[in-house]
PDB file of all heavy atoms in Angstrom:
ATOM      1  N   GLU A   1       6.623  -5.347  12.127  1.00 84.00           N
ATOM      2  CA  GLU A   1       6.601  -6.753  11.748  1.00 84.00           C
ATOM      3  C   GLU A   1       6.874  -6.893  10.263  1.00 84.00           C
ATOM      4  O   GLU A   1       6.204  -6.282   9.422  1.00 84.00           O
ATOM      5  CB  GLU A   1       5.233  -7.366  12.063  1.00 84.00           C
ATOM      6  CG  GLU A   1       4.856  -7.305  13.536  1.00 84.00           C
ATOM      7  CD  GLU A   1       3.418  -7.748  13.771  1.00 84.00           C
ATOM      8  OE1 GLU A   1       2.725  -8.030  12.766  1.00 84.00           O
ATOM      9  OE2 GLU A   1       3.003  -7.807  14.921  1.00 84.00           O
ATOM     10  N   ALA A   2       7.889  -7.667   9.933  1.00 83.00           N
ATOM     11  CA  ALA A   2       8.198  -7.950   8.539  1.00 83.00           C
ATOM     12  C   ALA A   2       9.191  -9.116   8.512  1.00 83.00           C
ATOM     13  O   ALA A   2      10.034  -9.228   9.381  1.00 83.00           O
ATOM     14  CB  ALA A   2       8.791  -6.748   7.833  1.00 83.00           C
ATOM     15  N   ASP A   3       9.049  -9.945   7.504  1.00 85.00           N
ATOM     16  CA  ASP A   3       9.962 -11.088   7.357  1.00 85.00           C
ATOM     17  C   ASP A   3      11.173 -10.638   6.533  1.00 85.00           C
ATOM     18  O   ASP A   3      11.063 -10.433   5.316  1.00 85.00           O
ATOM     19  CB  ASP A   3       9.240 -12.236   6.652  1.00 85.00           C
ATOM     20  CG  ASP A   3      10.140 -13.455   6.450  1.00 85.00           C
ATOM     21  OD1 ASP A   3      11.252 -13.462   7.010  1.00 85.00           O
ATOM     22  OD2 ASP A   3       9.744 -14.355   5.684  1.00 85.00           O
ATOM     23  N   VAL A   4      12.301 -10.456   7.174  1.00 89.00           N
ATOM     24  CA  VAL A   4      13.507 -10.007   6.474  1.00 89.00           C
ATOM     25  C   VAL A   4      14.538 -11.129   6.404  1.00 89.00           C
ATOM     26  O   VAL A   4      15.714 -10.872   6.149  1.00 89.00           O
ATOM     27  CB  VAL A   4      14.117  -8.758   7.141  1.00 89.00           C
ATOM     28  CG1 VAL A   4      13.178  -7.575   7.033  1.00 89.00           C
ATOM     29  CG2 VAL A   4      14.446  -9.040   8.601  1.00 89.00           C
ATOM     30  N   SER A   5      14.080 -12.363   6.609  1.00 88.00           N
ATOM     31  CA  SER A   5      15.021 -13.487   6.548  1.00 88.00           C
ATOM     32  C   SER A   5      15.623 -13.575   5.143  1.00 88.00           C
ATOM     33  O   SER A   5      14.920 -13.454   4.134  1.00 88.00           O
ATOM     34  CB  SER A   5      14.286 -14.794   6.871  1.00 88.00           C
ATOM     35  OG  SER A   5      13.202 -15.010   5.983  1.00 88.00           O
ATOM     36  N   GLY A   6      16.921 -13.718   5.110  1.00 87.00           N
ATOM     37  CA  GLY A   6      17.608 -13.844   3.841  1.00 87.00           C
ATOM     38  C   GLY A   6      17.898 -12.500   3.157  1.00 87.00           C
ATOM     39  O   GLY A   6      18.429 -12.476   2.048  1.00 87.00           O
ATOM     40  N   ILE A   7      17.577 -11.393   3.819  1.00 91.00           N
ATOM     41  CA  ILE A   7      17.865 -10.068   3.231  1.00 91.00           C
ATOM     42  C   ILE A   7      19.056  -9.485   3.990  1.00 91.00           C
ATOM     43  O   ILE A   7      18.923  -9.035   5.135  1.00 91.00           O
ATOM     44  CB  ILE A   7      16.654  -9.129   3.331  1.00 91.00           C
ATOM     45  CG1 ILE A   7      15.409  -9.768   2.731  1.00 91.00           C
ATOM     46  CG2 ILE A   7      16.959  -7.793   2.625  1.00 91.00           C
ATOM     47  CD1 ILE A   7      14.163  -8.910   2.846  1.00 91.00           C
ATOM     48  N   ALA A   8      20.199  -9.528   3.358  1.00 90.00           N
ATOM     49  CA  ALA A   8      21.406  -9.051   4.026  1.00 90.00           C
ATOM     50  C   ALA A   8      21.301  -7.569   4.361  1.00 90.00           C
ATOM     51  O   ALA A   8      20.891  -6.755   3.538  1.00 90.00           O
ATOM     52  CB  ALA A   8      22.614  -9.286   3.116  1.00 90.00           C
ATOM     53  N   GLY A   9      21.675  -7.236   5.609  1.00 91.00           N
ATOM     54  CA  GLY A   9      21.713  -5.838   6.004  1.00 91.00           C
ATOM     55  C   GLY A   9      20.359  -5.227   6.302  1.00 91.00           C
ATOM     56  O   GLY A   9      20.260  -4.006   6.460  1.00 91.00           O
ATOM     57  N   ALA A  10      19.301  -6.040   6.418  1.00 93.00           N
ATOM     58  CA  ALA A  10      17.961  -5.495   6.635  1.00 93.00           C
ATOM     59  C   ALA A  10      17.570  -5.602   8.087  1.00 93.00           C
ATOM     60  O   ALA A  10      17.900  -6.576   8.768  1.00 93.00           O
ATOM     61  CB  ALA A  10      16.945  -6.235   5.774  1.00 93.00           C
ATOM     62  N   ARG A  11      16.880  -4.614   8.579  1.00 92.00           N
ATOM     63  CA  ARG A  11      16.320  -4.633   9.928  1.00 92.00           C
ATOM     64  C   ARG A  11      14.940  -3.987   9.921  1.00 92.00           C
ATOM     65  O   ARG A  11      14.611  -3.237   8.998  1.00 92.00           O
ATOM     66  CB  ARG A  11      17.242  -3.902  10.900  1.00 92.00           C
ATOM     67  CG  ARG A  11      17.271  -2.377  10.709  1.00 92.00           C
ATOM     68  CD  ARG A  11      18.228  -1.720  11.698  1.00 92.00           C
ATOM     69  NE  ARG A  11      19.611  -2.025  11.355  1.00 92.00           N
ATOM     70  CZ  ARG A  11      20.634  -1.738  12.143  1.00 92.00           C
ATOM     71  NH1 ARG A  11      20.425  -1.165  13.311  1.00 92.00           N
ATOM     72  NH2 ARG A  11      21.865  -2.021  11.773  1.00 92.00           N
ATOM     73  N   VAL A  12      14.162  -4.289  10.947  1.00 93.00           N
ATOM     74  CA  VAL A  12      12.802  -3.766  11.043  1.00 93.00           C
ATOM     75  C   VAL A  12      12.702  -2.879  12.278  1.00 93.00           C
ATOM     76  O   VAL A  12      13.181  -3.254  13.359  1.00 93.00           O
ATOM     77  CB  VAL A  12      11.761  -4.899  11.123  1.00 93.00           C
ATOM     78  CG1 VAL A  12      10.352  -4.329  11.147  1.00 93.00           C
ATOM     79  CG2 VAL A  12      11.928  -5.857   9.950  1.00 93.00           C
ATOM     80  N   VAL A  13      12.089  -1.711  12.130  1.00 93.00           N
ATOM     81  CA  VAL A  13      11.915  -0.779  13.229  1.00 93.00           C
ATOM     82  C   VAL A  13      10.426  -0.473  13.368  1.00 93.00           C
ATOM     83  O   VAL A  13       9.740  -0.212  12.373  1.00 93.00           O
ATOM     84  CB  VAL A  13      12.697   0.525  12.997  1.00 93.00           C
ATOM     85  CG1 VAL A  13      12.375   1.543  14.075  1.00 93.00           C
ATOM     86  CG2 VAL A  13      14.191   0.249  12.943  1.00 93.00           C
ATOM     87  N   ALA A  14       9.911  -0.481  14.618  1.00 93.00           N
ATOM     88  CA  ALA A  14       8.527  -0.142  14.857  1.00 93.00           C
ATOM     89  C   ALA A  14       8.397   1.352  15.122  1.00 93.00           C
ATOM     90  O   ALA A  14       8.946   1.850  16.112  1.00 93.00           O
ATOM     91  CB  ALA A  14       7.984  -0.923  16.053  1.00 93.00           C
ATOM     92  N   ALA A  15       7.754   2.053  14.256  1.00 92.00           N
ATOM     93  CA  ALA A  15       7.514   3.485  14.414  1.00 92.00           C
ATOM     94  C   ALA A  15       6.458   3.914  13.406  1.00 92.00           C
ATOM     95  O   ALA A  15       6.246   3.241  12.401  1.00 92.00           O
ATOM     96  CB  ALA A  15       8.800   4.288  14.217  1.00 92.00           C
ATOM     97  N   ASP A  16       5.822   5.024  13.704  1.00 93.00           N
ATOM     98  CA  ASP A  16       4.786   5.575  12.827  1.00 93.00           C
ATOM     99  C   ASP A  16       5.423   6.645  11.936  1.00 93.00           C
ATOM    100  O   ASP A  16       6.031   7.597  12.454  1.00 93.00           O
ATOM    101  CB  ASP A  16       3.647   6.167  13.660  1.00 93.00           C
ATOM    102  CG  ASP A  16       2.423   6.469  12.821  1.00 93.00           C
ATOM    103  OD1 ASP A  16       2.584   6.827  11.648  1.00 93.00           O
ATOM    104  OD2 ASP A  16       1.306   6.330  13.334  1.00 93.00           O
ATOM    105  N   VAL A  17       5.259   6.520  10.618  1.00 94.00           N
ATOM    106  CA  VAL A  17       5.887   7.460   9.710  1.00 94.00           C
ATOM    107  C   VAL A  17       5.317   8.875   9.880  1.00 94.00           C
ATOM    108  O   VAL A  17       5.924   9.851   9.472  1.00 94.00           O
ATOM    109  CB  VAL A  17       5.705   6.979   8.253  1.00 94.00           C
ATOM    110  CG1 VAL A  17       4.244   7.087   7.814  1.00 94.00           C
ATOM    111  CG2 VAL A  17       6.617   7.762   7.319  1.00 94.00           C
ATOM    112  N   THR A  18       4.148   9.020  10.519  1.00 94.00           N
ATOM    113  CA  THR A  18       3.594  10.348  10.762  1.00 94.00           C
ATOM    114  C   THR A  18       4.096  10.957  12.058  1.00 94.00           C
ATOM    115  O   THR A  18       3.728  12.094  12.402  1.00 94.00           O
ATOM    116  CB  THR A  18       2.046  10.295  10.789  1.00 94.00           C
ATOM    117  OG1 THR A  18       1.621   9.473  11.870  1.00 94.00           O
ATOM    118  CG2 THR A  18       1.503   9.728   9.480  1.00 94.00           C
ATOM    119  N   ASP A  19       4.944  10.248  12.784  1.00 95.00           N
ATOM    120  CA  ASP A  19       5.537  10.745  14.032  1.00 95.00           C
ATOM    121  C   ASP A  19       6.876  11.384  13.699  1.00 95.00           C
ATOM    122  O   ASP A  19       7.880  10.689  13.491  1.00 95.00           O
ATOM    123  CB  ASP A  19       5.720   9.601  15.005  1.00 95.00           C
ATOM    124  CG  ASP A  19       6.260  10.032  16.360  1.00 95.00           C
ATOM    125  OD1 ASP A  19       6.872  11.121  16.438  1.00 95.00           O
ATOM    126  OD2 ASP A  19       6.101   9.274  17.344  1.00 95.00           O
ATOM    127  N   ALA A  20       6.908  12.713  13.586  1.00 96.00           N
ATOM    128  CA  ALA A  20       8.106  13.405  13.158  1.00 96.00           C
ATOM    129  C   ALA A  20       9.282  13.150  14.094  1.00 96.00           C
ATOM    130  O   ALA A  20      10.434  13.026  13.650  1.00 96.00           O
ATOM    131  CB  ALA A  20       7.842  14.903  13.043  1.00 96.00           C
ATOM    132  N   ASP A  21       9.052  13.061  15.388  1.00 97.00           N
ATOM    133  CA  ASP A  21      10.146  12.823  16.336  1.00 97.00           C
ATOM    134  C   ASP A  21      10.756  11.455  16.113  1.00 97.00           C
ATOM    135  O   ASP A  21      11.983  11.297  16.128  1.00 97.00           O
ATOM    136  CB  ASP A  21       9.634  12.931  17.772  1.00 97.00           C
ATOM    137  CG  ASP A  21       9.249  14.363  18.140  1.00 97.00           C
ATOM    138  OD1 ASP A  21       9.763  15.300  17.487  1.00 97.00           O
ATOM    139  OD2 ASP A  21       8.463  14.543  19.076  1.00 97.00           O
ATOM    140  N   ALA A  22       9.920  10.447  15.905  1.00 95.00           N
ATOM    141  CA  ALA A  22      10.422   9.091  15.681  1.00 95.00           C
ATOM    142  C   ALA A  22      11.205   9.013  14.372  1.00 95.00           C
ATOM    143  O   ALA A  22      12.277   8.370  14.301  1.00 95.00           O
ATOM    144  CB  ALA A  22       9.270   8.107  15.667  1.00 95.00           C
ATOM    145  N   VAL A  23      10.707   9.672  13.335  1.00 96.00           N
ATOM    146  CA  VAL A  23      11.404   9.654  12.050  1.00 96.00           C
ATOM    147  C   VAL A  23      12.735  10.399  12.165  1.00 96.00           C
ATOM    148  O   VAL A  23      13.758   9.943  11.627  1.00 96.00           O
ATOM    149  CB  VAL A  23      10.518  10.249  10.940  1.00 96.00           C
ATOM    150  CG1 VAL A  23      11.305  10.381   9.643  1.00 96.00           C
ATOM    151  CG2 VAL A  23       9.283   9.392  10.712  1.00 96.00           C
ATOM    152  N   SER A  24      12.739  11.531  12.867  1.00 96.00           N
ATOM    153  CA  SER A  24      13.982  12.283  13.056  1.00 96.00           C
ATOM    154  C   SER A  24      15.038  11.443  13.777  1.00 96.00           C
ATOM    155  O   SER A  24      16.219  11.417  13.410  1.00 96.00           O
ATOM    156  CB  SER A  24      13.722  13.571  13.846  1.00 96.00           C
ATOM    157  OG  SER A  24      12.862  14.429  13.121  1.00 96.00           O
ATOM    158  N   ALA A  25      14.612  10.728  14.834  1.00 95.00           N
ATOM    159  CA  ALA A  25      15.531   9.894  15.584  1.00 95.00           C
ATOM    160  C   ALA A  25      16.077   8.772  14.706  1.00 95.00           C
ATOM    161  O   ALA A  25      17.280   8.442  14.779  1.00 95.00           O
ATOM    162  CB  ALA A  25      14.838   9.334  16.816  1.00 95.00           C
TER     163      ALA A  25
END
């Protein structure tokens, strides 16, 4: 969850930074 309205080229991804598999993907 994050408000990225008005930020060109920005997207939000739901994942846990401590999850090595998710970060690798």
Side-chain angles (χ1 to χ4, degrees):
E1 300 172 357
D3 179 10
V4 295
S5 58
I7 306 178
R11 71 181 70 190
V12 183
V13 174
D16 193 326
V17 70
T18 63
D19 184 338
D21 291 337
V23 174
S24 296

